[in-house]
Amino acid sequence: MTIAMMFLKLLGGLALFMAGMERTSDGIQKAAGERLQNTLNFMTKNSVMGVMSGALVTVAVQSSSATTVMLITFVNAGLLTLKQGIGVIMGANIGTTLTGWIIAGVGIAKFSIAAMAVPLFGAGFFMSGAKRRSESFRSYGQALMGLALIFLGLDFIGAAIPRPSPEVLLFLQRFSGMGFIAIALAVVAGAVFTILVHASSATMAVVIAMAAQGLIAFELAAALTLGANIGTTIDAFLASISAGASTNAKRAAWAHILFNVLGTVWVIIIFKPFINLVNYVVPGELSPSNMGMHIAMLHTLFNSLNTVALLPFVSQYTNFLCRLIPEKPGESELRAIYLPKTLMDTPELSLLQARKEIGDMAALARSMFSRIRGDFEADPMDFATEIDWFTAKENYADIMYEELSKFLLAVSNSDLSDKTRMRVGIKLRIVSELENITDECLSLALLLKKKSSKGLVFESESFLGLKPLSDHVEEFLAFVADRLHRGITEIELSMASEMENEIDEDKRRLKKLARQRLKEGADVRAELLYIDFVRHMEKIGDYAYAIAGELRNFPSR
């Protein structure tokens, strides 16, 4: 076998392996996107839960890079705090060690696994094409096809590695004799190779294959594995420097980088004792036949011990990162819409990026209405400043509406399941209704300013009459805001209908009272403005009911 042919076969095996990883990840995320979101939400309790969640998600998607990039986008969107994110990073490092155990367990250099891959691919193909089955079933079929490609890739990688000749062994022995320099060079080589292929799992596959063939000693294989842990942080770094990345997103990326780099440094310092620990834990004498088990154990011990060492100091680590990467002046006040400029690999998880922004938009609408209530009960000292506040908030709501709409439309153009496509449409309409509510709040503020500038006075009965209406509207806004991300039941929709009916009844009652006051000689301009005020407030109730209707259409998970 020529060197060129060996290189091409190795490249082809790597391509199959990485394509399989991507297909498996996409299939599982499409089938269980919502459940993965719930797993990520579970991490909010404490750092230990964060470690567990990061490990579980990484095991599911078979990519620590994918988990870390998801994490950074969630931190960027404000869905997770930096402290929660650090726990997920540590868990992702533990979860990714499963790939090494799979490779070692399959035995990349022991027998051909193509026989396993073919039936797996066939089963996955027929599952993915089963039109009468659920979309989740078909997505799991795609994941199974990806698993088959992973096995085929491993088989090709194993076949591409030649049996060592005496000359090669002599060269490797001379290289191995360079001591610390050899270890340092191997760490760098492992990092560079992982950066180039964007997958530490692919590096692990090649390292285990070479070690099992006797091409490299265990010490060099261990150093290459440590280097792969550094190289895998490149995706997190790239995600943190993308347009729109917040300071916390950069901190999360550096939390990952420093965690892996510092962990590698201390292991290199005590390299010999650490290697002896691995050899002690793995039963049997070190030999090519069990080399894969030793490498997988080293990978697991490395990430597990790093996690155990840092976990008690997560708060201090978070504070250190905050000092290392300080927030830009005014960033918290001038927070941008934290939506990624490009979609994530799996559109289902891209929707989570919009989730917090929609929740923030609902909170903004509620805060504007709450302030209107306060202004109605007691005229502000400076109406110009008050109108400036409402205008700024409404302009911000317009920006949110525009950015969210563009983002959701981009998601809708992706390859989506029917349920997810329905959710996208519902979110688009909800965002539109929320923007309408902020428009009405600004209109109400302008009416109050007009009342003040014209010197109009509402009778005491008018103030008392508006209180039940504003209470009902505020209650309705809280009702829909609390259910934005889960939908509502038929019973809850009936409750929403009752709230809407109460608001409509309030409007009819107040307009009737206003007309009665007009007949009795009340100020025409004041009463007409009052009717306008009631009308705009009732329209907010209409928009809230429209949101409730959309939430009822949320597809079941």
Side-chain angles (χ1 to χ4, degrees):
M1 182 189 299
T2 64
I3 293 178
M5 183 58 67
M6 182 188 75
F7 176 77
L8 289 175
K9 286 188 175 182
L10 184 61
L11 197 64
L14 276 174
L16 277 173
F17 180 86
M18 294 172 67
M21 295 289 285
E22 181 178 359
R23 195 179 190 99
T24 301
S25 175
D26 287 351
I28 292 175
Q29 290 181 36
K30 280 185 179 180
E34 291 291 334
R35 286 186 287 278
L36 288 177
Q37 291 178 13
N38 292 336
T39 302
L40 288 167
N41 290 335
F42 183 64
M43 69 184 64
T44 59
K45 293 184 177 180
N46 53 56
S47 296
V48 174
M49 292 301 180
V51 172
M52 292 173 58
S53 299
L56 287 172
V57 172
T58 303
V59 167
V61 302
Q62 279 298 288
S63 172
S64 62
S65 295
T67 303
T68 307
V69 170
M70 280 192 287
L71 161 75
I72 290 173
T73 54
F74 297 158
V75 171
N76 196 45
L79 295 168
L80 293 175
T81 65
L82 176 62
K83 184 176 179 181
Q84 292 164 345
I86 291 172
V88 181
I89 288 169
M90 293 188 288
N93 278 8
I94 294 175
T96 194
T97 63
L98 176 66
T99 303
W101 286 106
I102 292 174
I103 296 170
V106 167
I108 190 168
K110 296 174 186 176
F111 61 89
S112 173
I113 54 175
M116 293 174 58
V118 173
L120 277 177
F121 192 90
F125 176 80
F126 287 110
M127 284 174 64
S128 64
K131 299 297 183 183
R132 295 186 179 182
R133 301 302 296 268
S134 68
E135 290 188 56
S136 294
F137 182 84
R138 295 196 294 271
S139 295
Y140 281 124
Q142 292 183 13
L144 207 57
M145 292 167 67
L147 188 62
L149 290 178
I150 290 173
F151 285 168
L152 276 176
L154 291 174
D155 187 70
F156 276 102
I157 291 171
I161 303 296
R163 294 290 176 183
S165 65
E167 291 79 9
V168 172
L169 286 175
L170 184 63
F171 168 76
L172 290 173
Q173 287 171 359
R174 187 165 60 248
F175 185 73
S176 300
M178 295 174 67
F180 179 79
I181 295 177
I183 301 303
L185 288 175
V187 169
V188 173
V192 171
F193 185 80
T194 304
I195 289 172
L196 292 175
V197 300
H198 276 268
S200 60
S201 299
T203 304
M204 288 288 293
V206 174
V207 169
I208 291 176
M210 294 178 69
Q213 295 285 5
L215 283 173
I216 56 175
F218 176 49
E219 288 76 8
L220 288 182
L224 288 167
T225 302
L226 295 177
N229 274 274
I230 295 176
T232 194
T233 64
I234 185 64
D235 291 306
F237 176 74
L238 293 176
S240 73
I241 63 174
S242 61
S246 66
T247 297
N248 262 351
K250 293 179 173 66
R251 290 167 178 165
W254 278 100
H256 189 206
I257 294 168
L258 291 176
F259 178 73
N260 285 21
V261 171
L262 294 176
T264 300
V265 169
W266 78 260
V267 169
I268 290 177
I269 292 173
I270 59 166
F271 191 72
K272 286 294 184 182
F274 193 79
I275 292 296
N276 292 335
L277 173 64
V278 174
N279 291 334
Y280 176 78
V281 173
V282 179
E285 291 293 326
L286 178 64
S287 65
S289 62
N290 65 7
M291 188 73 78
M293 301 291 287
H294 278 73
I295 295 171
M297 179 59 74
L298 177 135
H299 196 205
T300 302
L301 283 176
F302 169 77
N303 286 304
S304 299
L305 291 176
N306 274 341
T307 298
V308 171
L310 185 61
L311 193 58
F313 307 102
V314 169
S315 296
Q316 292 84 345
Y317 191 44
T318 302
N319 294 334
F320 167 73
L321 289 165
C322 290
R323 290 194 299 271
L324 182 67
I325 308 174
E327 192 173 66
K328 297 176 183 177
E331 181 176 351
S332 59
E333 290 78 15
L334 301 175
R335 189 183 69 85
I337 307 295
Y338 289 150
L339 293 171
K341 301 301 180 185
T342 56
L343 300 183
M344 297 175 69
D345 290 339
T346 303
E348 276 77 0
L349 292 181
S350 294
L351 286 180
L352 196 54
Q353 308 308 304
R355 178 171 175 166
K356 174 138 192 321
E357 296 301 333
I358 295 175
D360 286 349
M361 195 172 182
L364 175 63
R366 292 180 65 188
S367 70
M368 291 178 71
F369 183 76
S370 179
R371 188 147 173 165
I372 279 292
R373 294 189 69 187
D375 289 347
F376 184 78
E377 294 171 1
D379 285 348
M381 297 294 293
D382 184 359
F383 251 114
T385 302
E386 195 69 4
I387 293 301
D388 286 344
W389 185 89
F390 277 99
T391 302
K393 295 299 182 183
E394 205 284 321
N395 287 339
Y396 183 62
D398 287 343
I399 294 172
M400 296 180 86
Y401 170 64
E402 181 180 349
E403 293 298 323
L404 280 165
S405 297
K406 287 193 296 186
F407 181 77
L408 290 170
L409 285 172
V411 173
S412 69
N413 290 328
S414 306
D415 181 20
L416 302 174
S417 65
D418 290 341
K419 287 183 179 180
T420 302
R421 192 173 300 281
M422 185 180 296
R423 285 193 182 95
V424 172
I426 289 171
K427 289 180 186 291
L428 275 168
R429 291 187 289 274
I430 287 175
V431 167
S432 178
E433 301 298 350
L434 288 172
E435 197 274 334
N436 288 336
I437 291 173
T438 61
D439 285 344
E440 294 301 325
C441 289
L442 177 59
S443 297
L444 288 169
L446 292 172
L447 286 175
L448 287 179
K449 181 187 178 185
K450 181 179 179 180
K451 167 182 170 290
S452 177
S453 63
K454 298 290 185 182
L456 303 177
V457 179
F458 290 160
E459 296 184 11
S460 59
E461 182 187 17
S462 303
F463 283 104
L464 295 174
L466 269 177
K467 181 70 165 59
L469 173 60
S470 62
D471 284 344
H472 290 148
V473 172
E474 189 159 57
E475 180 187 1
F476 205 176
L477 289 177
F479 177 86
V480 295
D482 291 342
R483 293 160 176 79
L484 272 181
H485 306 309
R486 63 175 176 84
I488 63 176
T489 64
E490 194 65 40
I491 294 175
E492 289 174 319
L493 182 60
S494 298
M495 293 169 59
S497 181
E498 290 175 7
M499 293 180 186
E500 166 69 355
N501 290 336
E502 287 176 342
I503 293 172
D504 289 343
E505 181 58 34
D506 287 338
K507 182 189 79 167
R508 287 191 290 269
R509 177 177 55 81
L510 293 175
K511 288 179 70 174
K512 182 178 179 180
L513 290 173
R515 287 192 294 269
Q516 183 64 34
R517 288 193 295 270
L518 283 171
K519 290 179 181 179
E520 294 173 356
D523 188 330
V524 174
R525 292 182 304 166
E527 293 302 331
L528 290 178
L529 189 144
Y530 181 82
I531 291 173
D532 249 1
F533 198 89
V534 170
R535 180 175 59 83
H536 282 289
M537 197 173 287
E538 186 271 337
K539 286 180 70 176
I540 293 176
D542 289 341
Y543 296 134
Y545 185 67
I547 293 174
E550 295 296 339
L551 294 176
R552 179 65 191 105
N553 293 327
F554 252 44
S556 58
R557 295 178 180 178

